[in-house]
Amino acid sequence: MTRGSLSCNMAAGSLPVALLVLLSRVSGFPLGQEEPKLTCGYESCHATKPNMLNVHLVPHTHDDVGWLKTVDQYYYGDRNDIQHAGVQYILDSVVDQLLKNPDRRFIYVETAFFYRWWKQQSPSMQQTVKELVNEGRLEFVNGGWCMSDEATTHYSAVIDQMTMGLRFLNETFGPCGRPRVAWHIDPFGHAREHASMFAQMGYDGFFFGRLDYQDRTRRQSAREQELLWRASDSLEPPMADLFTGILPNGYNPPEGFCWDQSCDDPPIRDDPDLEDYNVDDVVRRFLAIANHQAKVYKTNHIIMTMGSDFQYENANLWYKNLDKLIRYVNAQQADGVGVNVLYSTPSCYLQELHRANLTWALKTDDFFPYADAAHDYWTGYFTSRPALKRYERISNSNLQTCNQLEVLGGPVSRNGPFGKADSQTMKEAMAVAQHHDAVSGTEKQHVANDYARRLASGWQHCQVVVSNSLSALSGSSAERIYCDRLNISVCPLTESSEKFSVHVYNPLARPVTWPVRLPVNGSSYDVSDAEGRSVDCQVVPVSAQTAAVRRSRGFAVNELVFQAQAPPLGFTTYSVSLLRDGPPPASTQRRVPAAIQNQFLRVTFDPDTGLLSSLTNLETKRTIKLTQNFYWYNASDGHNSESDQPSGAYIFRPNSSTPFIISKTAKTESVQTPVLQEVRQWFAPWVSQVVRLHRDSRALELEWTVGPLPISDDLGKEVITRLDTSIKTSEYFYTDSNGREVLQRKKDFRPTWKLRQSEPIAGNYYPINSRAFIKDDVDQLTVVTDRSQGGGSIQNGSLEIMLHRRLLHDDVRGVAEPLNETSSVFPDGLVVRGRLLLSLDRPPSAADAHRPLAQQVVLQPTLTFTDGDLHPDTRLEFSGLQAALPPAVHLLTLTQWDEDSVLLRLEHQFQSGESKRNSGPVTVNLQKLFSTLEVLGGSELNLSANQWKDEMTRFHWTPQTGEEPLLKTLGDPSAWEVTLRPMEIRTFLLRVRLR
Ligand SMILES: *[C@@H]1O[C@H](CO)[C@@H](O)[C@H](O)[C@H]1NC(C)=O
Ligand SMILES: *[C@@H]1O[C@H](CO)[C@@H](O)[C@H](O)[C@H]1NC(C)=O
Ligand SMILES: [Zn+2]
């Protein structure tokens, strides 16, 4: 039962009061029962000494949720021939050692592993662990399912994976299981949007290990390794303020103090009667390191991370030596040494920093790109494994559809005509895929395959949910067929059937128009919509490039194209039937057309080269020069005069700043019809593109197909597409942060330190998660991507995006494999296909175009098919909403939480000042949202749904600017009417009932 259980069948007028009561009610223990005294969290910290240097020793393990081994192999300690690592033994051993000495502390981070372990423990062991947690001896930090990557993840999937991990911790351990600190010790650069999300999830502070080496040097001398990150331009401070600390040694122990079984440092030999007594030496070395470290931090507290990758499998080694270290160093206090060593946790350390009551440097940009040396920019992984990156992104879309339909269809979705299933498998697969060696593309090949397999299996489960739900909502139990390879024109049903239906489910809370493109073998079809009206459609020949990519997996000669219009959070149905004597398919022309155009855009081509030459917005009457072509950088093989760093899965290091052009001209073929116009460009056997304009589209589509990248010349290749325009960019360009707020970038520049640029290309690359743009006073060209990619603006007016990489050398960051992807279908190297959507706007209103466009690519319609005629009683159209949400509001989450409640997240999808029309506050009535769900009660939660909003308190931190945050409480008009301000996400648990 949720907190909303008190309400709510009253008359409309009294509802707000009822909900207000709910919103302020404190959850807790049944009346008359004492709340057990818990001393976890800040209260359980060991005492420190105000007049000494306090050294916080933090025993920890860093357990990658897949990297060199799969997540399951890591859990069991399987395949120790690849890497010696077994998380189950780590947790066994640590719990055992914690029980031996109540002073000892341990933190655990990755809930994906902890959950696996917990399920296998006996009730008495579970009880023991609960006591350790309740006493603060075992503390969870971060607590998401994994430690997500920050450069290549989308906020929607990050919020989901954090929610899943934190929910398990809350439900298992209650308030003592709630992490106070976010902990991203390994991700390779840090996104501002992650900081913003962590702040909204209620964390008091954040620690990480990796930042640019030049930035670190400056921060050390300025004592700015601890700072206040103001992570949003739109959210009112301190909503997105996050205290951020940079760890002293990555996440490793100081040199000479690694006592894991995987390390070789000398143990503390403290029996004076035995050989090699070394206590004096150990104490002397430790004090030297501590005093040195204290010089680069602000307070008389410092932190040392005592652990590393998969350490503590035999925790006795660590703890036995740490016990002694603490005892012998602190014994020196009697002789006047002012150093106090203690077992601690990140939150205990954070509490001391907070007590110091200082002011902290304010930061408003991000920590990209990350370089650990002059020629070692970790900007390759922004693009590494582009096929996995796309599969992860579309899997998120599928999961959101699955979640929504699980709610809208009711219990029959989980147990219906097509079987029993739920969204949990897909949720876990997506959560694991957010790990910083998963979607980042920095894992071994067999591990990448495992992530993809998990997503595929999750989607299998979700297909049952979707089929059950759609069957309930439409009243038709016809079998649903899924075609996941429409992008390469493969769908056995549409290829052979003469009559079938296409069901288009739209997961967005506003209607969408979406181009449907189906492989067919007939030459003429009738397509009619849910009202029985004929829809304009077109049959076009399958291109030679598409036939080449699909290899032997399909045989359609044509594609049927039409524009589908689907209602908000709902579906519509199109019936397709083969016409015996209809018009023939569109013919293709060899000659490049001078232009293609629809009512919104006009695109011209250079008749000599076949390349794009200009783009015009016909509404604003603005034209820019636009040429676009494909190039490749020659990846460094490590044999280079300046550095021996090769390009690899993590690192981008071209051998030269001038990329090779693949072809100066494109062979072309065009199709021009009233429904769509496309120019198919062929650059090389491994590079082709379709420039496509749909009839009602305000965006130009560039569908690129790249691969297999040739390597017979023994040169690693990193392929880019480059748009060169007449826009006067003055070295600036813009990229999104995890798909949300946009950050300004400038060539060879960092906002908070003076950059010495040593890699003119790689050092100017940034992550692009969903969009990038270039602009001047009059024109803005926005490029919306279909997955995370890396890119930069190296020349004025130019924007380049890296599409695919094939490399022949490992980049010596541990993965120990070159990034050289092949598969059984593509033994000669992966072929990758994707889309860029281009929109040309006037800068003040550009967001009105690119925000909805990007959401439409992130949450794309899910198509299902049924063969033959539908039963006449079938419901052909449905919307789960009473009305479309206002343009500024995005429905981010709708998912079943428990039997009778659902989790809802509403998001204001514009930044403040970004749009004249859409950047204002907007109010939504929760009770008037759904068409088929009655909302009985509700409560508001923090972003990660593990704390009631009204119980959320965070440490207050003061920036050096001295200014005090406004702390305005911005009320809602009434309890059911909630107001969203720019970039705000609000999370609700709603008790609902199907009407
Ligand atoms: C923190 O510092 C401020 C300004 O220096 C001071 O007014 C305040 O009393 C201090 N608070 C505590 C708890 O020491
Ligand atoms: C946390 O878990 C407890 C125990 O299961 C539950 O009663 C409470 O509602 C949960 N809190 C939140 C915010 O979900
Ligand atoms: Zn890691």
Side-chain angles (χ1 to χ4, degrees):
M1 187 120 63
T2 74
R3 294 182 82 209
S5 59
L6 273 187
S7 73
C8 239
N9 296 324
M10 309 168 197
S14 57
L15 283 174
V17 181
L19 190 67
L20 278 176
V21 170
L22 290 172
L23 287 169
S24 59
R25 187 166 65 90
V26 176
S27 75
F29 295 82
L31 283 175
Q33 221 173 297
E34 275 292 297
E35 195 166 326
K37 182 85 188 88
L38 301 177
T39 51
C40 60
Y42 297 117
E43 284 174 52
S44 63
C45 297
H46 289 308
T48 57
K49 301 203 168 168
N51 301 319
M52 292 193 185
L53 174 63
N54 293 278
V55 185
H56 294 248
L57 302 181
V58 176
H60 81 105
T61 181
H62 177 66
D63 298 348
D64 289 307
V65 180
W67 179 41
L68 309 182
K69 309 203 289 190
T70 69
V71 53
D72 290 350
Q73 290 167 349
Y74 273 132
Y75 175 69
Y76 280 119
D78 194 11
R79 297 298 312 271
N80 274 354
D81 57 316
I82 299 176
Q83 179 187 13
H84 188 101
V87 175
Q88 59 168 342
Y89 306 124
I90 294 173
L91 288 164
D92 290 342
S93 183
V94 161
V95 168
D96 196 41
Q97 289 300 317
L98 287 176
L99 294 171
K100 294 214 159 109
N101 173 356
D103 289 344
R104 293 175 177 176
R105 294 288 182 268
F106 197 73
I107 57 168
Y108 203 74
V109 179
E110 298 87 2
T111 304
F113 286 125
F114 189 83
Y115 161 84
R116 282 167 161 78
W117 183 82
W118 179 258
K119 279 196 307 187
Q120 296 201 313
Q121 303 310 305
S122 67
S124 78
M125 178 50 101
Q126 292 185 343
Q127 194 49 42
T128 301
V129 172
K130 277 186 185 162
E131 282 159 24
L132 290 174
V133 172
N134 287 342
E135 289 165 16
R137 293 154 70 184
L138 174 61
E139 179 180 304
F140 295 101
V141 303
N142 213 62
W145 205 247
C146 70
M147 183 185 293
S148 54
D149 178 56
E150 299 194 39
T152 66
T153 47
H154 190 266
Y155 69 97
S156 152
V158 173
I159 293 170
D160 283 355
Q161 78 88 3
M162 291 303 296
T163 301
M164 197 163 82
L166 294 170
R167 179 177 186 184
F168 171 81
L169 294 178
N170 176 53
E171 289 183 348
T172 310
F173 298 104
C176 286
R178 184 169 65 82
R180 304 301 203 267
V181 162
W183 182 256
H184 266 210
I185 55 182
D186 196 23
F188 332 123
H190 300 280
R192 198 178 76 174
E193 193 57 38
H194 260 72
S196 171
M197 290 187 277
F198 288 149
Q200 296 171 69
M201 289 175 183
Y203 291 102
D204 284 322
F206 175 44
F207 294 96
F208 66 69
R210 297 182 188 271
L211 79 164
D212 184 279
Y213 71 107
Q214 295 179 38
D215 193 9
R216 180 190 284 278
T217 304
R218 190 200 67 82
R219 287 181 180 280
Q220 284 176 336
S221 51
R223 293 193 182 205
E224 280 185 13
Q225 291 196 85
E226 290 168 319
L227 55 114
L228 188 62
W229 200 348
R230 181 151 292 167
S232 171
D233 295 336
S234 295
L235 297 172
E236 203 72 63
M239 220 172 147
D241 284 3
L242 188 67
F243 179 88
T244 300
I246 295 157
L247 295 169
N249 194 27
Y251 52 91
N252 296 305
E255 178 127 13
F257 292 85
C258 182
W259 286 310
D260 194 67
Q261 65 180 15
S262 64
C263 299
D264 302 320
D265 292 338
I268 299 184
R269 300 180 299 252
D270 53 348
D271 185 341
D273 295 338
L274 298 185
E275 294 284 313
D276 302 326
Y277 176 84
N278 68 351
V279 170
D280 298 342
D281 176 58
V282 168
V283 168
R284 185 181 47 73
R285 282 189 292 120
F286 185 81
L287 290 176
I289 290 171
N291 286 320
H292 186 74
Q293 191 179 318
K295 293 201 177 90
V296 293
Y297 286 91
K298 255 181 157 173
T299 72
N300 64 329
H301 291 268
I302 58 173
I303 184 172
M304 291 185 184
T305 43
M306 306 309 272
S308 194
D309 291 4
F310 297 96
Q311 292 196 358
Y312 286 78
E313 192 174 308
N314 182 354
N316 180 44
L317 275 66
W318 259 116
Y319 281 114
K320 193 165 201 168
N321 285 286
L322 288 174
D323 285 352
K324 289 180 186 178
L325 180 73
I326 292 169
R327 183 159 85 242
Y328 292 122
V329 173
N330 289 351
Q332 304 284 310
Q333 291 168 8
D335 299 335
V337 172
V339 173
N340 182 46
V341 193
L342 60 148
Y343 276 119
S344 188
T345 68
S347 56
C348 291
Y349 173 60
L350 184 75
Q351 171 170 249
E352 299 294 348
L353 298 179
H354 186 245
R355 283 181 179 153
N357 194 20
L358 302 176
T359 61
W360 307 91
L362 192 68
K363 180 180 174 76
T364 57
D365 62 323
D366 67 356
F367 289 97
F368 285 121
Y370 163 57
D372 53 1
H375 300 286
D376 308 37
Y377 274 92
W378 297 46
T379 52
Y381 80 99
F382 299 165
T383 300
S384 295
R385 300 192 186 281
L388 180 66
K389 282 181 164 67
R390 173 62 188 155
Y391 192 46
E392 183 276 335
R393 183 65 57 86
I394 193 153
S395 296
N396 182 49
S397 181
N398 288 338
L399 173 59
Q400 303 309 323
T401 289
C402 181
N403 286 341
Q404 295 177 3
L405 282 170
E406 191 175 1
V407 170
L408 297 174
V412 74
S413 323
R414 290 182 293 277
N415 191 0
F418 299 99
K420 277 178 86 155
D422 59 30
S423 53
Q424 193 58 23
T425 312
M426 186 71 170
K427 282 181 172 143
E428 285 178 29
M430 272 301 292
V432 161
Q434 304 312 307
H435 168 62
H436 58 270
D437 297 301
V439 63
S440 58
T442 56
E443 65 283 67
K444 280 190 185 285
Q445 185 63 49
H446 79 105
V447 181
N449 296 345
D450 182 65
Y451 290 124
R453 185 192 56 72
R454 282 167 195 277
L455 293 171
S457 147
W459 182 222
Q460 290 291 323
H461 284 80
C462 266
Q463 284 179 5
V464 176
V465 174
V466 170
S467 294
N468 283 337
S469 174
L470 289 176
S471 139
L473 295 172
S474 69
S476 156
S477 56
E479 189 199 353
R480 302 258 161 187
I481 290 153
Y482 295 78
C483 287
D484 296 329
R485 291 179 179 149
L486 290 176
N487 63 333
I488 50 166
S489 227
V490 176
C491 177
L493 174 73
T494 61
E495 285 165 44
S496 56
S497 175
E498 299 190 353
K499 188 158 194 8
F500 58 89
S501 297
V502 187
H503 311 267
V504 184
Y505 179 80
N506 167 25
L508 292 172
R510 60 189 171 77
V512 295
T513 301
W514 183 261
V516 172
R517 194 176 185 92
L518 307 172
V520 292
N521 279 301
S523 49
S524 186
Y525 289 82
D526 176 69
V527 177
S528 50
D529 67 13
E531 312 279 304
R533 287 173 308 221
S534 221
V535 172
D536 284 342
C537 64
Q538 184 67 51
V539 174
V540 298
V542 163
S543 70
Q545 288 72 36
T546 294
V549 193
R550 76 184 177 207
R551 300 205 167 170
S552 57
R553 293 173 291 175
F555 62 96
V557 295
N558 290 325
E559 289 177 315
L560 170 66
V561 185
F562 62 93
Q563 296 282 95
Q565 290 181 320
L569 222 65
F571 64 81
T572 190
T573 308
Y574 290 87
S575 334
V576 179
S577 39
L578 179 70
L579 294 179
R580 294 276 161 220
D581 41 16
S587 57
T588 56
Q589 311 293 322
R590 285 269 158 223
R591 199 172 43 80
V592 60
I596 57 176
Q597 86 176 63
N598 65 12
Q599 66 191 106
F600 304 113
L601 292 174
R602 176 179 167 82
V603 187
T604 63
F605 293 83
D606 182 320
D608 299 327
T609 61
L611 303 178
L612 285 172
S613 58
S614 77
L615 178 62
T616 303
N617 181 324
L618 296 170
E619 290 178 308
T620 61
K621 310 237 170 13
R622 294 288 313 168
T623 296
I624 58 163
K625 274 193 217 152
L626 168 66
T627 53
Q628 178 261 347
N629 207 335
F630 296 88
Y631 306 78
W632 60 279
Y633 288 105
N634 177 8
S636 167
D637 59 6
H639 301 291
N640 180 288
S641 57
E642 285 168 325
S643 147
D644 54 9
Q645 176 62 53
S647 226
Y650 303 86
I651 285 167
F652 171 33
R653 180 154 189 252
N655 236 345
S656 155
S657 296
T658 312
F660 293 94
I661 193 160
I662 288 164
S663 172
K664 286 187 177 134
T665 60
K667 285 187 201 148
T668 62
E669 177 181 279
S670 68
V671 178
Q672 285 181 277
T673 77
V675 175
L676 91 159
Q677 303 171 60
E678 57 184 44
V679 174
R680 300 166 176 183
Q681 298 170 311
W682 188 90
F683 296 86
W686 46 285
V687 179
S688 65
Q689 177 171 260
V690 181
V691 180
R692 189 177 284 146
L693 203 49
H694 290 281
R695 189 172 59 191
D696 302 316
S697 177
R698 290 169 187 272
L700 178 69
E701 178 178 324
L702 302 183
E703 186 188 56
W704 50 271
T705 304
V706 176
L709 303 190
I711 48 170
S712 55
D713 53 6
D714 285 334
L715 301 178
K717 296 185 180 58
E718 321 214 20
V719 176
I720 60 162
T721 180
R722 200 174 74 204
L723 304 158
D724 296 308
T725 74
S726 53
I727 296 173
K728 297 178 188 62
T729 59
S730 320
E731 305 202 320
Y732 288 101
F733 85 117
Y734 301 80
T735 60
D736 65 318
S737 183
N738 298 129
R740 287 248 300 161
E741 291 189 39
V742 171
L743 293 176
Q744 187 186 60
R745 311 297 190 179
K746 184 167 192 249
K747 192 185 168 201
D748 298 330
F749 177 79
R750 305 287 185 264
T752 56
W753 88 89
K754 197 165 163 17
L755 174 71
R756 269 172 288 116
Q757 183 62 277
S758 41
E759 280 288 326
I761 308 297
N764 279 310
Y765 260 53
Y766 291 88
I768 300 169
N769 300 112
S770 70
R771 85 207 68 165
F773 54 80
I774 49 177
K775 66 172 186 176
D776 57 24
D777 293 341
V778 281
D779 295 307
Q780 172 169 330
L781 179 70
T782 309
V783 180
V784 169
T785 66
D786 63 353
R787 76 199 71 194
S788 290
Q789 297 170 315
S793 176
I794 310 295
Q795 304 295 336
N796 276 333
S798 166
L799 178 64
E800 68 181 55
I801 295 179
M802 190 180 287
L803 304 175
H804 197 2
R805 327 175 65 212
R806 189 172 190 192
L807 307 170
L808 305 177
H809 299 275
D810 174 61
D811 55 1
V812 268
R813 293 305 187 280
V815 78
E817 278 180 9
L819 184 71
N820 181 0
E821 294 180 280
T822 59
S823 76
S824 54
V825 179
F826 298 102
D828 45 345
L830 285 197
V831 180
V832 184
R833 171 172 280 185
R835 295 189 308 154
L836 302 176
L837 297 181
L838 271 54
S839 143
L840 178 66
D841 308 282
R842 284 187 174 279
S845 60
D848 295 334
H850 70 73
R851 291 273 171 203
L853 192 61
Q855 292 295 15
Q856 196 168 318
V857 174
V858 170
L859 287 187
Q860 66 176 57
T862 300
L863 305 189
T864 62
F865 301 88
T866 50
D867 199 9
D869 282 309
L870 285 168
H871 190 276
D873 295 340
T874 305
R875 182 167 185 183
L876 299 180
E877 196 157 82
F878 166 85
S879 171
L881 297 183
Q882 292 186 20
L885 293 183
V889 181
H890 175 55
L891 189 145
L892 175 61
T893 308
L894 176 64
T895 186
Q896 199 72 33
W897 188 257
D898 54 28
E899 274 298 291
D900 51 13
S901 53
V902 300
L903 191 72
L904 171 75
R905 286 195 186 91
L906 296 176
E907 171 185 3
H908 194 304
Q909 60 177 337
F910 286 83
Q911 291 178 211
S912 60
E914 182 179 61
S915 160
K916 277 206 192 78
R917 220 180 319 151
N918 291 311
S919 285
V922 43
T923 298
V924 175
N925 188 319
L926 296 180
Q927 276 209 317
K928 295 186 181 149
L929 221 48
F930 300 108
S931 62
T932 56
L933 298 177
E934 194 179 346
V935 178
L936 305 171
S939 309
E940 186 164 7
L941 292 149
N942 67 345
L943 181 60
S944 45
N946 64 328
Q947 215 185 357
W948 305 110
K949 187 72 177 274
D950 57 3
E951 289 174 9
M952 205 176 149
T953 53
R954 299 174 63 220
F955 282 166
H956 172 70
W957 304 89
T958 313
Q960 266 163 11
T961 51
E963 122 282 341
E964 281 293 313
L966 298 162
L967 285 171
K968 265 193 293 191
T969 36
L970 301 158
D972 290 321
S974 74
W976 290 118
E977 288 181 309
V978 298
T979 298
L980 295 150
R981 291 172 180 78
M983 279 292 132
E984 196 174 9
I985 301 176
R986 296 184 65 177
T987 306
F988 301 93
L989 193 59
L990 300 180
R991 205 155 56 84
V992 299
R993 173 167 79 196
L994 285 180
R995 278 190 216 273

